[in-house]
């Protein structure tokens, strides 16, 4: 079950990273978009850091790619022993 939850978490993040830009889209405000996007970035970075870094190899949009790089560079202490970084 935990593997299924992890897969769903990562899929949710990747879908958001491909489409969400933090701008006002659909029915939510720009602030709401940024808040939910920031939560997804933090959640996946903290819980699935290697997968978070690997998201850069996917076709995520430039906004989210920049956030991934920034967050990884700002949080090197979160890396597990043996992770290249």
């Amino acid at each position: 079950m935990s593997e299924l939850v992890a897969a769903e978490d990562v899929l949710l993040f990747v879908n958001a990273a491909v489409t969400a830009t933090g701008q006002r889209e659909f029915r939510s405000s720009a602030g709401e978009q940024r808040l939910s996007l920031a939560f997804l970035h933090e959640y996946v970075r903290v819980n699935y850091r290697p997968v978070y870094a690997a998201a850069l190899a996917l076709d995520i949009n430039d906004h989210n790619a920049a956030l991934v790089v920034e967050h990884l560079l700002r949080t090197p202490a979160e890396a597990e022993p043996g992770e290249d970084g």
Side-chain angles (χ1 to χ4, degrees):
M1 182 64 145
S2 65
E3 291 176 0
L4 178 60
V5 171
E8 289 174 348
D9 290 347
V10 171
L11 183 60
L12 177 66
F13 172 73
V14 170
N15 282 333
V18 168
T19 60
T21 61
Q23 299 176 8
R24 185 185 185 292
E25 297 174 8
F26 307 110
R27 295 178 188 253
S28 60
S29 69
E32 290 170 331
Q33 282 258 329
R34 283 190 297 274
L35 183 61
S36 56
L37 194 54
F39 169 79
L40 283 173
H41 273 271
E42 182 177 1
Y43 178 79
V44 174
R45 187 193 79 238
V46 169
N47 293 290
Y48 312 106
R49 188 177 177 89
V51 174
Y52 184 69
L56 291 169
L58 302 174
D59 192 23
I60 64 175
N61 64 42
D62 293 341
H63 173 77
N64 286 297
L67 289 175
V68 169
V69 170
E70 177 186 4
H71 293 160
L72 289 171
L73 290 173
R74 288 181 183 266
T75 59
E78 292 177 354
E80 295 291 322
E83 278 185 32
D84 292 338

